[in-house]
Amino acid sequence: MTNRDFIIAILITFMWGVNFSFIKLGLTSLDPFMLAGLRFFLCAIPLVFFIKKPDVKFIYIVSYGLFFGVGLWGILYVGMHFGISAGVASIVLQLGVFFTVILSYIILKEKIDIYNKIGFVLALSGILLVFLVTDGTVTILGMMFVILSAVSWAILNIIIKKANTKDVFSFLIWSTLFPPIPLFLLAYFMQGDIVFINFFDNIDTNAMISIVFQVYPTTILGYWVWNSLLTKYPVSVVSPLSLLIPIFGLLGSFVLFNEEIGIYKIIASLIILLGLVINTFGNRMFIAKV
């Protein structure tokens, strides 16, 4: 990966890390499925009317949209709704990195070298430390939902690689057409018609700030750039960079929600960062020494 692309990827992970706090902000007033549905509705409309459909099989567009909107973010919002903090959610979601590497090895036959393995073991150890947190920012039910969303994230990375589209922006926008309806239906099944009746009473300034940040910089810009990197480099090279997200996620949650950053979270973040460095630069460092 070039230095320029590496820096761009770091900026995207910073934005995604802070995004967890903006999600939490929106969940203070909106149902999780309604919040997710609005996010993807505004990603698709009105842009989809001005952008040509990408030249890929429709199954890739639909499957990416459903796993993206419902599987990843819809389920993650529910996990955060059930008590897991923004900072902790950003850490646990990184299990998707390991699921991605496993799937890319099995499905895409991508090579995993010794530095990848060492980096993954270190980073996984850091994530597992989160389970020792006892400050009230972790719930079992919340953890289960976030882990499930991590599996969806891994599947997304494989779909974008298999689709092999060059129209990355078009692919992203068209895929966001498909999550809103199932997300709104899930909101109805979980809460009844009250979520629609009280919608305009519930959508306050916090909710609007949350939605705008999630739609434009986080989703449209962030995933456009990230998916472009996935089409340019192996999944096993790009995906581990997302291990920086929990570090930025913890910082964002500390600044916006005064989330306690205890010793386990600090150690976990440092171990994750070390794993990322070894995974990304291990081979280059070794060759330099030789």
Side-chain angles (χ1 to χ4, degrees), residues 78-100:
V78 174
M80 295 178 71
H81 176 73
F82 281 115
I84 195 166
S85 74
V88 172
S90 68
I91 295 175
V92 178
L93 186 62
Q94 301 320 302
L95 286 171
V97 173
F98 305 100
F99 296 140
T100 297

Side-chain angles (χ1 to χ4, degrees), residues 26-147:
L27 290 172
T28 59
S29 56
L30 288 179
D31 171 85
F33 290 123
M34 284 294 291
L35 180 62
L38 285 169
R39 172 183 180 174
F40 291 100
F41 177 80
L42 292 175
C43 283
I45 307 297
L47 287 175
V48 73
F49 297 116
F50 303 98
I51 297 174
K52 184 181 177 182
K53 175 185 168 295
D55 187 21
V56 296
K57 292 181 180 178
F58 209 63
I59 186 64
Y60 288 131
I61 300 174
V62 176
S63 60
Y64 185 89
L66 293 177
F67 276 105
F68 186 33
V70 182
L72 172 55
W73 292 110
I75 297 301
L76 183 131
Y77 286 16
V78 174
M80 295 178 71
H81 176 73
F82 281 115
I84 195 166
S85 74
V88 172
S90 68
I91 295 175
V92 178
L93 186 62
Q94 301 320 302
L95 286 171
V97 173
F98 305 100
F99 296 140
T100 297
V101 172
I102 292 170
L103 289 179
S104 64
Y105 175 76
I106 295 173
I107 299 174
L108 304 178
K109 309 302 180 184
E110 289 189 359
K111 182 181 179 182
I112 302 177
D113 62 29
I114 185 63
Y115 304 107
N116 296 137
K117 294 176 182 177
I118 294 173
F120 295 152
V121 169
L122 281 171
L124 181 58
S125 300
I127 291 173
L128 291 177
L129 277 178
V130 176
F131 288 89
L132 299 178
V133 174
T134 57
D135 61 4
T137 58
V138 176
T139 64
I140 298 299
L141 188 57
M143 290 284 279
M144 290 173 59
F145 279 111
V146 178
I147 290 172

Side-chain angles (χ1 to χ4, degrees), residues 165-185:
T165 178
K166 303 303 179 184
D167 303 319
V168 177
F169 186 72
S170 174
F171 182 88
L172 173 66
I173 298 302
W174 274 78
S175 71
T176 57
L177 270 176
F178 302 97
I181 291 179
L183 286 168
F184 290 144
L185 287 174

Side-chain angles (χ1 to χ4, degrees), residues 197-253:
I197 294 172
N198 291 344
F199 173 72
F200 289 104
D201 293 329
N202 292 334
I203 188 162
D204 55 15
T205 302
N206 286 342
M208 289 189 287
I209 292 173
S210 172
I211 292 168
V212 169
F213 187 83
Q214 291 178 65
V215 170
Y216 299 106
T218 300
T219 305
I220 293 180
L221 175 62
Y223 280 92
W224 174 26
V225 174
W226 189 261
N227 289 346
S228 296
L229 293 175
L230 282 171
T231 61
K232 189 175 181 180
Y233 301 103
V235 174
S236 56
V237 171
V238 178
S239 182
L241 293 173
S242 63
L243 290 170
L244 284 173
I245 293 174
I247 297 175
F248 296 132
L250 282 173
L251 290 175
S253 189

